[in-house]
Amino acid sequence: MKKLALHWQIMIGMILGIVFGFIMTTFSWGKGITGDWIAPFGTIFVNLLKLIAVPLILASLIKGISDLKDISKFKKIGGRTIIIYILTTVIAITIGLLLVNAFKPGEGITPETIEKLTKEYAGNAKISERIAEASRQKESGPLQFIVDMIPQNAFKAMSDNKMMLQVIFFAIFLGISMLLVKPSQSEPLKKFFDSLNDVVLKMVDLIMLTAPFAVFALLANVVVTSDDPDILLALLKYGGVVIFGLLLMIVFYCVLVAVITKKSPFWFLKQISPAQLLAFSTSSSAATLPVTMERVEEHIGVDKEVSSFVLPVGATINMDGTSLYQAVASVFIMQVLWPEGLTFSNQITIVLTALLASIGSAAVPGAGMVMLVIVLEAIGFPSDKLPIGLALIFAIDRPLDMLRTTVNVTGDATVSMIVAKSVGKLGKPNVKDWDDDYKG
């Protein structure tokens, strides 16, 4: 009997998780049962993926750079990666602005809904936390993001997934230094990282065996902890505009794949779908990164020299889905609370600020709202209305976060294919199973 493909297993797990979650909401004890006995399995799965994210980035990036043999190749890959990421982010923000101005979702929000949302969420601890974090980032100097990239202690950077850029910097620095010494001197270190890379990728295979059960637990917990359905209904138009924009970004990626790499978009989506489904379930590009790397290298055929740089950098600075959301959310909030602020110059400011805010923002759930605060403050949004503005979108933020993370991950995979194709490093897939080297 042919084994069911992983993406179908994950899809079944997601559907069963949603159904189970809705069943549990009908019982008074359902939320407690799900939280105590189901949700922990999803948390364990996400923790396992985060556990191997830093070792994988370190090993993969150092291996990829040290395999180049020529430092000029790295410069070519790095330059193209950054330029393409910036271009796709600008396109995402522009799509968001065009849609939110065309559909005007803010005009459908009644004063009663605003009052209800304000009462329920304006004093929310998470909202206050996001505003405080945005203020800290805003008060820092213009070059602070570069300062933050340079670790004082490499081991401390590796101990925290939020310091991903610092780990990437250290790995690049070490990889380049290995290229600049004699091969005989760097060979022992290279063999170590080559070996570590192979072992960590095998860990990804083992973790993915539990993915269908994990997404069941994650989705069941999302459903039982979801907010008031009446509020979600009131925000349906706003959510619909964001979702439509995210779907357009997926179409845009498919066009790029077809035109530039000459690969079938449907084949591309099929190969990357397990990473997309995990991004949807976890809302974290960082947690999904090990799976994205495995799918792109083994199932799409992107050479490790390219994927080991493009994907970790993308998980940290490429936030196409999140940037599109910034554009829609900021204009939506202005349509409801500050319509006089909807000037052309403010919308240009949104494009520039959302682009800059996406660089270096943490690849973890909730970063999107911190970026949104930065964007709103940049256009002079009244500070007294800021908590109300965030309260407007907070109820629906979690499901939209899941969708925009899916787009972020799809964008990373697309750019890795484009860069690989441009440097002649897009080859044939080489799929490995979890027990390929096991002698039972």
Side-chain angles (χ1 to χ4, degrees):
M1 183 178 165
K2 189 178 178 183
K3 185 181 173 186
L4 195 64
L6 180 62
H7 61 278
W8 288 118
Q9 292 181 42
I10 295 174
M11 187 75 79
I12 291 168
M14 290 173 68
I15 293 167
L16 291 176
I18 292 168
V19 171
F20 179 81
F22 277 118
I23 292 171
M24 287 295 101
T25 57
T26 61
F27 301 104
S28 58
W29 43 264
K31 189 172 182 178
I33 290 288
T34 306
D36 292 342
W37 297 99
I38 305 295
F41 292 102
T43 305
I44 290 167
F45 176 76
V46 174
N47 287 348
L48 282 170
L49 287 173
K50 288 181 177 179
L51 170 71
I52 63 171
V54 169
L56 180 61
I57 288 171
L58 199 64
S60 187
L61 201 44
I62 292 170
K63 173 178 167 52
I65 294 171
S66 60
D67 281 345
L68 288 172
K69 308 296 181 191
D70 181 0
I71 204 166
S72 63
K73 288 182 183 175
F74 174 71
K75 191 162 66 173
K76 187 187 292 184
I77 291 170
R80 291 179 187 185
T81 299
I82 302 301
I83 290 168
I84 296 170
Y85 276 148
I86 289 172
L87 289 174
T88 59
T89 303
V90 170
I91 288 167
I93 298 165
T94 305
I95 288 173
L97 286 177
L98 290 173
L99 291 178
V100 75
N101 281 291
F103 291 102
K104 295 183 171 55
E107 292 182 359
I109 301 296
T110 63
E112 292 76 23
T113 303
I114 296 171
E115 189 179 336
K116 188 177 182 182
L117 287 164
T118 303
K119 188 177 178 182
E120 190 150 346
Y121 295 109
N124 186 285
K126 287 185 179 178
I127 288 180
S128 304
E129 192 181 303
R130 305 288 189 265
I131 294 172
E133 177 59 33
S135 298
R136 281 195 293 272
Q137 290 193 24
K138 194 180 175 187
E139 286 167 9
S140 59
L143 298 179
Q144 187 60 41
F145 77 98
I146 297 176
V147 175
D148 291 340
M149 282 173 57
I150 318 298
Q152 293 181 20
N153 185 319
F155 294 102
K156 185 180 178 183
M158 290 176 216
S159 69
D160 188 348
N161 279 10
K162 291 178 184 177
M163 297 183 181
M164 204 71 83
L165 271 179
Q166 294 191 359
V167 176
I168 291 169
F169 174 85
F170 174 71
I172 292 171
F173 194 24
L174 184 58
I176 290 173
S177 299
M178 287 169 65
L179 284 178
L180 297 175
V181 299
K182 293 176 183 176
S184 59
Q185 294 173 318
S186 63
E187 193 61 31
L189 196 56
K190 186 179 184 313
K191 283 182 177 177
F192 168 76
F193 283 112
D194 287 358
S195 176
L196 178 62
N197 180 72
D198 291 337
V199 172
V200 174
L201 281 174
K202 187 56 66 178
M203 291 171 76
V204 176
D205 289 339
L206 293 172
I207 293 169
M208 287 303 289
L209 293 174
T210 67
F213 309 101
V215 297
F216 168 86
L218 289 164
L219 267 295
N221 190 52
V222 166
V223 171
V224 298
T225 57
S226 63
D227 292 284
D228 185 347
D230 293 336
I231 290 177
L232 298 182
L233 202 63
L235 296 173
L236 197 59
K237 192 176 178 183
Y238 155 69
V241 172
V242 176
I243 293 167
F244 183 41
L246 296 176
L247 284 172
L248 287 181
M249 280 307 295
I250 297 287
V251 172
F252 171 65
Y253 295 141
C254 288
V255 170
L256 290 179
V257 167
V259 172
I260 298 174
T261 70
K262 311 297 183 191
K263 299 281 187 181
S264 164
F266 301 106
W267 173 83
F268 164 69
L269 291 176
K270 181 183 176 184
Q271 303 311 315
I272 200 66
S273 57
Q276 291 176 315
L277 294 171
L278 283 182
F280 178 80
S281 304
T282 63
S283 299
S284 173
S285 300
T288 312
L289 180 60
V291 182
T292 311
M293 294 184 76
E294 188 256 358
R295 300 303 297 187
V296 165
E297 289 168 15
E298 295 184 14
H299 295 259
I300 291 178
V302 174
D303 196 286
K304 187 172 286 295
E305 292 176 10
V306 175
S307 64
S308 61
F309 175 78
V310 177
L311 294 175
V313 170
T316 316
I317 72 167
N318 182 48
M319 301 277 175
D320 290 350
T322 307
S323 298
L324 184 146
Y325 153 82
Q326 310 300 320
V328 176
S330 55
V331 174
F332 167 73
I333 290 170
M334 289 164 71
Q335 286 171 349
V336 177
L337 300 174
W338 193 47
E340 63 273 19
L342 283 168
T343 61
F344 180 73
S345 61
N346 272 350
Q347 300 210 29
I348 294 297
T349 304
I350 288 171
V351 174
L352 296 172
T353 312
L355 174 62
L356 293 171
S358 71
I359 298 172
S361 84
V364 292
M369 197 163 277
V370 175
M371 290 166 61
L372 178 60
V373 175
I374 294 169
V375 170
L376 287 171
E377 288 185 340
I379 56 176
F381 188 83
S383 56
D384 59 315
K385 293 182 178 180
L386 195 55
I388 301 170
L390 296 186
L392 270 177
I393 61 166
F394 190 77
I396 205 171
D397 186 64
R398 175 64 175 170
L400 293 183
D401 194 9
M402 296 161 77
L403 290 166
R404 61 188 186 245
T405 305
T406 305
V407 171
N408 291 344
V409 166
T410 309
D412 295 344
T414 304
V415 174
S416 72
M417 283 183 74
I418 293 170
V419 174
K421 180 71 174 178
S422 72
V423 295
K425 294 288 182 181
L426 184 60
K428 292 181 179 178
N430 180 25
V431 182
K432 298 174 184 175
D433 208 352
W434 70 273
D435 59 352
D436 274 357
D437 303 304
Y438 176 69
K439 302 288 190 293

